[in-house]
Amino acid sequence: MAGRSRRQDLTTGPIARTLLLFALPTLGSSVLQSLNGSINAIWVGRFLGEEALAATANANIIMFMLMAFVFGFGMASTILIGQACGRGDVESARQVIGTATGSFALIATLLAIIGWLLAPEILRLLATPEGAMPLALAYMRVIFLSMPASLLMVMLMMALRGAGDALTPLWFMALSVLLDSTLNPVFILGLGPAPELGIAGSATATAIANYVSLVAMLVYVYARKFPLRLRRGDLHLLKPALPLLRMIFVKGLPMGLQMIVISSSALMMLGFVNQYGVVTTAAYSVTQQLWTYVQMPAMAVGAAVTAMVAQNIGAGNWDRVSRITRSGVIFSLLLTGTLVVLLTIADRPALELFLGGDSPALPIARHIQLIATWGFVCFGVTLVLFGTVRANGQVLGPLIILFISMYPVRLGVLFATDQWLGADALWLSFPIGMVATMLMAIGLYLHGGWRRSRMAPAPIDEQEGVELAQATTEPGGAFNPRG
């Protein structure tokens, strides 16, 4: 969906340099997105206190979980677009974009309505602390209203990256962050003509930023006449093509379930954390803010590996795939390891940004990050390996691996050590689960048979689409993560 001046050919040139140059704008987008969440957390924590911060932690994990299925379909669409672009098949890429957009709009609207109605019940299932319940409900209901714009924006950005354009998503992520972070204090405190909405003001700022940025990005795509835009004669493509939708569903469902596994595990862990009170929940919340930054380089490299491998598979350049993966692992280790070391050295000033120097949650947050943060070095390797295997349609293997590490491994550590470690059993279960995930991901990459898997191109007709959907095999296991 990028013009030729912006769309990068990922099938030629030096691998390490090409991968890094493509990953950097994606990393920039991740930095901006995480910075946005952190700035909002600072506003909420400083203006409204620990109970409001705990409320946003409960609400945001639920939103992540509800968006998970849609993320899986978006990733499946991205891979199809990348392979089509690698073949030079613009029409197939447009068909994928049309089907994905039409489906996403409907799903996002339904999720927003259902989520708004069921928000109180969801929060009660989470055992949300009583003091945080009204704040979490006010925040969550407004956030649900922003969901259609959020999901469509994510889908469009993923499509752009699949086509080799990582710069355009960066600019419009910057616009969203600028609007959201600027409007947060305006609506929280009621500055100028704006009403004073408290915690709902933070969600209102997010909703406005998402809708404005989505419209601006669509205007830009059409004004620049990007090759993969849907033209007037292509609008019929917004009606989902059933064979293609089936293919996106077959591959996207396991990737969405992967996100469900991650988010449901996070919900379960949050339920355990909530039992230790609002102060511990607030400490856990700000630690998650720092974890978001630690994950960013590996997430960017993993996304770049997926796009780059997908285009090379589409072009038939299998000799480059293992070299792309190797470069991705090296970049992930170096970047994530550096961040872990820096955070270990400077954790106090980083955490004080959210809590202030005299908050009772500060020492708890420092303790959590010291025990658990190092595990993200291992998880970064996992993201790169998963990015490679899923680029050729192997989606069941990562799902099974994540389920094992998030439930049997993590819960096993928690229940085995809870009696003598107390809350530390919670924090220790995170890195141990990440190490287990990495070891299983290495096994999948080396021995999973994912090279024989198949991510089908956009189907030519319905019969071919049915055959491809039914014939696709998963030799790695008959088994992805805003992460």
Side-chain angles (χ1 to χ4, degrees), residues 226-247:
F226 282 17
L228 297 190
R229 74 194 186 283
L230 298 183
R231 299 161 299 185
R232 181 177 301 177
D234 298 324
L235 294 182
H236 67 281
L237 296 178
L238 289 172
K239 180 181 180 181
L242 292 182
L244 180 56
L245 185 60
R246 187 180 297 114
M247 180 58 58

Side-chain angles (χ1 to χ4, degrees), residues 276-291:
Y276 289 92
V278 170
V279 173
T280 300
T281 303
Y284 179 61
S285 174
V286 298
T287 304
Q288 286 183 307
Q289 289 290 332
L290 297 185
W291 288 353

